[in-house]
Amino acid sequence: MRVLLAGATGVIGRELLPLLRKAGHHVTALARGSARDVDADAVVAADLLDAPGLAAAVAAARPEVVVHQVTALRPASGDTRWEVFERTAHVRRVGTANLVDAARAAGARRIVAQSIAFATTPSGDPVLGEDAPLFVDAPDATWAMTVQAVAELERLVLAADDLAPIVLRYGSLYGQYTLYDASGAIGQAVHLGRLPLVGDGAGLTSFLHVRDAALAAASAVEHAATGVFNIVDDEPAPAHAWLPGYAELLGAPEPKRVPVDLGERLLGWYGAFQQTRQRGASNAKARAEFGWRPTVPSWQDGVCQALSEVSR
Ligand SMILES: NC(=O)c1ccc[n+]([C@@H]2O[C@H](COP(=O)([O-])OP(=O)(O)OC[C@H]3O[C@@H](n4cnc5c(N)ncnc54)[C@H](OP(=O)(O)O)[C@@H]3O)[C@@H](O)[C@H]2O)c1
């Protein structure tokens, strides 16, 4: 099939591109000009925020399937946290609308888009399915803006029912080039003893090896399933388990325990929320309806494996 991959140079795009080519697809990588070293069948330069340029680039690729793996989370030097999230929210809203329009105009018949599995409101069961409400009214302005933009991305994609839309809500990614890589922002904070354990550490994180994210997207290209699917591992992990375990794997000091108010001051609202109140996500729907399952079911094995792969 002819596949257009937007975000080919990102953390998921880099894993996904070779999988798609290995499966025999003709892949056009879309990037803003930094894709010279990308090993694709074709490369087109376009910005999702430039609607006419994007439409021309997508039309030239003549894709049957469009894959959306674009975020703008990679911070540029001097960016504040707010700026990084505001830029990503803008790409999720405006860039996604432009990409859906461009896909339709180019005659695509399917769209596969990236979302997140940790945007749910912290109420009800500890581990939630896809029907749980999104935390669009989170008390923190950055997180509320992020979740509202995620909700809008999903609405835009799912409304394109002529494009057999599928939204993959990834868990917290670990593995090469992610935040949890030994050289990533969280890996570094843990290594330096700057990521304390907050409160009771009962908040759940559903992790996902970046390779499993790419495998899910590759199979979504060929599958007929539509709708929203959590793509997460089998073991939602409380912070009091994963954080000390991760520190040990990194050879870092054991994280200090701090109360919630100090945790919020040190890590920001989301950092404290993740560790104390965040819900996990269930992959039951993806298993039943989409036939996907993680090749790395447990974050404990996966983080260990990912860190040893990087250090080799
Ligand atoms: N579920 C999760 O936990 C999750 C999901 C995604 C990312 N992350 C984290 O976020 C961090 C950054 O990840 P990343 O490197 O993949 O994200 P990224 O730097 O935002 O890159 C994503 C892709 O989007 C492209 N892109 C960005 N803005 C664009 C625009 N306006 N038009 C067209 N293309 C655009 C980039 O291409 P260019 O080469 O043109 O910049 C890149 O290919 C990582 O630590 C990762 O773990 C986490």
Side-chain angles (χ1 to χ4, degrees):
M1 268 185 290
R2 296 182 66 86
V3 179
L4 179 101
L5 175 55
T9 56
V11 68
I12 297 161
R14 292 177 215 221
E15 292 274 346
L16 177 56
L17 179 54
L19 291 180
L20 292 171
R21 296 195 72 209
K22 204 169 157 202
H25 301 302
H26 176 285
V27 185
T28 300
L30 184 143
R32 286 172 299 177
S34 55
R36 268 186 294 270
D37 58 345
V38 163
D39 191 14
D41 296 290
V43 178
V44 286
D47 189 323
L48 257 61
L49 300 175
D50 164 22
L54 179 68
V58 178
R62 294 184 291 111
E64 295 162 270
V65 182
V66 169
V67 182
H68 178 0
Q69 300 290 352
V70 171
T71 69
L73 292 165
R74 196 185 306 151
S77 67
D79 274 350
T80 63
R81 188 170 173 274
W82 172 263
E83 284 165 344
V84 170
F85 281 91
E86 192 178 38
R87 195 169 56 225
T88 293
H90 190 60
V91 170
R92 282 181 169 137
R93 289 172 182 280
V94 178
T96 301
N98 290 340
L99 188 60
V100 169
D101 288 347
R104 181 178 290 122
R109 57 172 183 71
R110 181 152 174 82
I111 187 162
V112 177
Q114 165 187 172
S115 183
I116 55 174
F118 42 92
T120 44
T121 300
S123 60
D125 293 340
V127 178
L128 300 171
E130 290 80 352
D131 291 341
L134 297 181
F135 207 5
V136 288
D137 55 353
D140 175 71
T142 307
W143 195 239
M145 170 184 68
T146 296
V147 177
Q148 286 164 16
V150 162
E152 177 64 0
L153 175 152
E154 293 190 352
R155 191 194 66 74
L156 287 163
V157 172
L158 296 173
D161 48 13
D162 51 330
L163 294 176
I166 183 165
V167 170
L168 304 178
R169 289 183 178 169
Y170 300 135
S172 294
L173 296 174
Y174 65 87
Q176 208 174 10
Y177 305 120
T178 68
L179 299 171
Y180 292 84
D181 193 350
S183 57
I186 294 177
Q188 281 296 298
V190 172
H191 186 69
L192 298 170
R194 290 188 188 150
L195 190 62
L197 184 56
V198 181
D200 60 4
L204 295 175
T205 296
S206 283
F207 285 104
L208 181 69
H209 195 297
V210 66
R211 197 177 311 124
D212 274 335
L215 284 165
S219 99
V221 163
E222 296 175 6
H223 207 278
T226 59
V228 179
F229 294 88
N230 289 336
I231 302 295
V232 294
D233 79 5
D234 292 342
E235 278 185 21
H240 63 70
W242 74 257
L243 183 50
Y246 179 47
E248 196 179 332
L249 286 169
L250 282 172
E254 191 182 335
K256 291 195 180 70
R257 273 190 183 266
V258 299
V260 175
D261 54 347
L262 179 56
E264 264 192 36
R265 284 207 296 281
L266 293 170
L267 305 180
W269 180 88
Y270 179 77
F273 169 77
Q274 178 191 14
Q275 290 199 33
T276 53
R277 296 174 60 215
Q278 184 168 270
R279 296 301 201 259
S282 160
N283 62 23
K285 185 182 173 200
R287 283 175 173 270
E289 295 178 26
F290 174 42
W292 176 85
R293 62 204 58 235
T295 64
V296 190
S298 154
W299 62 274
Q300 302 201 49
D301 299 340
V303 171
C304 191
Q305 192 185 314
L307 291 174
S308 64
E309 281 167 7
V310 170
S311 62
R312 271 205 298 269

